[in-house]
Amino acid sequence: MAILAIKPSSASDDFQFQDASGNAILQVDGDGSRVDYKKGISEKVGTITGTSGGVTVDLSTGTFFEVTLTAAITTWAFTNVPTSGTACAWVIKINQASSAVGGTPVTWAGDGTTTGSSAIKWAGGAAHQMSTGNSQIDLISMFTIDGGTTIYANEVGKAFA
C-alpha cells in the first residue's frame, strides 16, 4: 500500500482542504499541533445488522449507530474493531418501538462477562437496563483501546421521549 503524503514546506505553513468555492473545510497547522474542522464534523449513521436476537455493529461504517427494537436483543457482536493500541469510540442509539408494551428488553454482557469475544465493563459495574416506555430512546457510549478485548461502556442518557 502506498502512502500519499502532502505536507507544508515548513512548520509555519498551514495545510488546507477547500470546497469548490475556495473556502477552508479542514486546516492543519504546519507543525501538526492542531486540526481545525471549519464546517463541523458529520458522518453517516453506521450499520447495525439485525434488530432482534443477535445484532452486529460494524465499526468500519461509522461511530454512531441506531437500532429500533422489534424483539429482544440478547447478543451483541462488534466487528472491524481497530487493533490494540488504537482508540475507538462509538455511540449506540436504541429506540424502543412505539408499540412496545412493557418494553422490549436488551441484554448486555457486563461485570466481566463476554459478548462474543469482548468483555464489556460498565460504569458503576452494572449493565444498562433498557427503558421500557413506548418510543423511549436510550444512548450508550462505548470505547476500546485493546482491539475490543475490553469494551468500556456508559449510559449517556435514558428514557428520551
Side-chain angles (χ1 to χ4, degrees):
M1 171 176 30
I3 296 174
L4 172 62
I6 302 172
K7 54 187 173 183
S9 59
S10 74
S12 62
D13 294 333
D14 293 340
F15 174 75
Q16 283 187 352
F17 282 104
Q18 298 179 348
D19 64 15
S21 300
N23 298 313
I25 298 171
L26 172 87
Q27 181 170 320
V28 180
D29 288 352
D31 63 1
S33 63
R34 189 175 86 132
V35 176
D36 187 5
Y37 296 91
K38 300 291 189 178
K39 294 189 175 188
I41 299 173
S42 62
E43 65 179 273
K44 297 184 303 184
V45 175
T47 303
I48 291 183
T49 306
T51 55
S52 63
V55 297
T56 300
V57 179
D58 183 351
L59 296 173
S60 71
T61 64
T63 60
F64 183 88
F65 302 88
E66 182 174 16
V67 63
T68 298
L69 301 174
T70 58
I73 294 177
T74 55
T75 60
W76 293 81
F78 302 95
T79 61
N80 295 307
V81 180
T83 59
S84 185
T86 301
C88 179
W90 63 96
V91 173
I92 302 173
K93 176 185 176 196
I94 307 170
N95 304 307
Q96 196 60 267
S98 61
S99 60
V101 178
T104 302
V106 173
T107 303
W108 300 92
D111 304 324
T113 58
T114 61
T115 290
S117 61
S118 301
I120 300 178
K121 307 271 188 201
W122 288 92
H128 164 261
Q129 297 296 312
M130 185 66 200
S131 298
T132 58
N134 292 355
S135 300
Q136 289 188 329
I137 297 167
D138 290 4
L139 297 174
I140 306 299
S141 173
M142 298 181 151
F143 79 92
T144 184
I145 56 174
D146 61 6
T149 300
T150 304
I151 295 173
Y152 299 93
N154 187 47
E155 184 179 287
V156 175
K158 187 170 182 163
F160 290 95

